[in-house]
Amino acid sequence: MKKSEISEDIKSVFKDAANKLNGFKRRQFMGNVAIELLDGNARKAESEFGWGRETVKAGMAELTTGIRCLDNYSARGNKKTEEKMPELADDIRSLVDPESQADPKFQTSFLYTRITAKAVRQALIDEKEYTDDELPCENTMGNILKRMGYNLKRIQKTKPLKKIPGTDDIFENVNKINHQADDNPEALRISIDTKAKVNVGEFSRGGKTREKEPDGALDHDMEPYLKMVPFGVFEPSNDHISIVFGNSNETSDFIADGLDLWWEENKERHSHIKELVINLDNGPHINSHRTQFIKRMIEFADKTGMKIRLVYYHHTTVNIIRLNDVGGL
């Protein structure tokens, strides 16, 4: 069949067949048609069927050499906005970088920005003099920020340091005083602390019962009857633990009252004790600068006749003895 013999119906069939193929199969089909019907002339194939000359030439070359070209589909299509407008990427960085923070775990190359795509777009208009028509929409701006390495994420709290330069010295001081107390038969070492408040009410808390009809319980503890604050006293020498519950706020007086109640319940067991060494943290209600707490400890020393030594988990150690003893405070 010669070129002059190719009817419009035949051309339509060839075009339709080519459109249903892709990649090397389409190129080879076009090349085969050009070789068999158009004397291998790619220009005629373009004229007759509307096929690209370069595509037809590639198809004929693949047929004659047996070497197939690799398709790179990813390189096709429209370029990304930041590629078409390289100055846009620079302007975005100048706006976003000052508002960003590094990944706190240093496990990713992302920067976590605190400003939104909408805010970035508006800042480009206000500060970089872009027009609304020049910039992509808000959703596209969000995609651009992600491709540039900026990802919107919840701000994370800074985690406290596990160890500070003075940690070893602090615990060396605490251990030294604790060992002295443990070796002194007339001294008793205790540790005091308060814990999170406990809601009291008809709550299940995962409890079980063997009754035929189990008691009902609330599914949330939004309205407790009351809130109890646990205060604990631990005696390391004999692993004895005492827990006092109160319904007041956690204050210096609450802690001092709890210590006083513990002593009244246990003083017969410790009738030989003349010195009480107390390990405690530096909480706001019991630190060495809290005058109300120190005042209560002085009163406790006067009442019990014991020497009180407060050993904090920092460099402070406070010695409290009875006011009528030599040396004072």
Side-chain angles (χ1 to χ4, degrees):
M1 182 182 295
K2 301 299 181 183
K3 171 185 172 182
S4 58
E5 299 176 354
I6 302 177
S7 66
E8 292 300 323
D9 291 339
I10 297 298
K11 290 180 183 180
S12 178
V13 171
F14 284 150
K15 291 178 182 180
D16 183 62
N19 290 335
K20 292 179 179 179
L21 300 173
N22 53 39
F24 79 95
K25 293 181 180 180
R26 182 177 183 181
R27 291 193 301 272
Q28 289 185 1
F29 174 76
M30 293 177 177
N32 194 34
V33 171
I35 292 172
E36 296 295 333
L37 303 181
L38 304 173
D39 300 324
N41 192 321
R43 185 180 294 274
K44 292 180 180 179
E46 182 181 42
S47 175
E48 292 296 321
F49 301 103
W51 297 335
R53 267 179 286 172
E54 297 303 322
T55 303
V56 176
K57 288 180 181 180
M60 290 190 294
E62 288 177 331
L63 287 171
T64 56
T65 62
I67 300 174
R68 196 179 83 187
C69 299
L70 294 177
D71 298 309
N72 185 13
Y73 296 111
S74 61
R76 302 178 182 178
N78 194 14
K79 290 185 177 180
K80 295 180 174 61
T81 305
E82 61 270 30
E83 294 175 354
K84 294 187 291 185
M85 302 172 62
E87 71 282 358
L88 177 64
D90 294 335
D91 289 336
I92 289 176
R93 290 190 186 93
S94 68
L95 292 170
V96 176
D97 281 345
E99 299 294 330
S100 301
Q101 64 175 7
D103 173 14
K105 293 186 178 180
F106 299 100
Q107 294 177 345
T108 175
S109 61
F110 279 162
L111 296 178
Y112 300 114
T113 179
R114 292 190 292 269
I115 56 179
T116 62
K118 180 179 181 180
V120 172
R121 191 178 189 278
Q122 189 60 47
L124 287 169
I125 296 174
D126 296 339
E127 300 182 27
K128 301 299 181 180
E129 299 183 350
Y130 285 85
T131 65
D132 186 72
D133 294 336
E134 289 179 310
L135 295 175
C137 67
E138 182 180 332
N139 289 340
T140 303
M141 184 63 69
N143 293 332
I144 293 173
L145 288 171
K146 290 179 181 178
R147 291 196 294 265
M148 291 178 62
Y150 300 102
N151 189 31
L152 197 63
K153 185 171 181 174
R154 185 183 298 276
I155 300 300
Q156 296 186 7
K157 294 182 179 179
T158 302
K159 294 184 178 180
L161 295 175
K162 295 296 183 181
K163 189 174 182 180
I164 61 175
T167 298
D168 292 336
D169 293 336
I170 291 172
F171 280 94
E172 182 179 353
N173 177 60
V174 172
N175 290 333
K176 178 182 178 181
I177 298 175
N178 286 346
H179 284 311
Q180 292 175 354
D182 293 341
D183 294 337
N184 183 357
E186 295 183 343
L188 174 65
R189 178 164 63 94
I190 64 173
S191 177
I192 66 174
D193 196 9
T194 57
K195 296 301 179 182
K197 294 181 179 179
V198 179
N199 291 336
V200 178
E202 296 180 354
F203 313 127
S204 66
R205 305 188 193 280
K208 296 180 181 180
T209 176
R210 292 186 182 277
E211 297 177 4
K212 292 183 178 181
E213 296 294 334
D215 295 333
L218 302 176
D219 59 346
H220 292 81
D221 52 356
M222 301 297 291
E223 297 181 0
Y225 295 151
L226 52 86
K227 291 187 177 183
M228 304 295 290
V229 181
F231 167 76
V233 180
F234 174 59
E235 303 173 28
S237 61
N238 53 33
D239 291 335
H240 188 274
I241 298 176
S242 301
I243 301 178
V244 177
F245 286 90
N247 57 8
S248 71
N249 292 326
E250 180 184 351
T251 63
S252 299
D253 287 324
F254 168 75
I255 295 171
D257 289 342
L259 182 64
D260 187 69
L261 180 60
W262 165 80
W263 178 251
E264 290 298 323
E265 294 291 331
N266 294 274
K267 62 183 180 181
E268 293 184 3
R269 293 194 300 117
H270 302 304
S271 58
H272 63 289
I273 296 300
K274 296 181 179 180
E275 179 181 2
L276 189 64
V277 177
I278 305 176
N279 293 154
L280 65 175
D281 59 23
N282 201 34
H285 308 296
I286 57 176
N287 66 50
S288 58
H289 300 293
R290 177 67 71 174
T291 56
Q292 179 62 18
F293 180 68
I294 299 300
K295 173 179 176 292
R296 291 295 306 272
M297 290 298 99
I298 294 174
E299 293 174 352
F300 182 70
D302 284 339
K303 176 181 177 181
T304 60
M306 292 186 295
K307 177 181 178 180
I308 309 299
R309 176 172 288 190
L310 306 179
V311 183
Y312 290 92
Y313 289 104
H314 59 92
H315 284 294
T316 301
T317 300
V318 179
N319 293 327
I320 300 174
I321 61 177
R322 290 176 295 165
L323 297 182
N324 58 354
D325 282 347
V326 179
L329 179 61

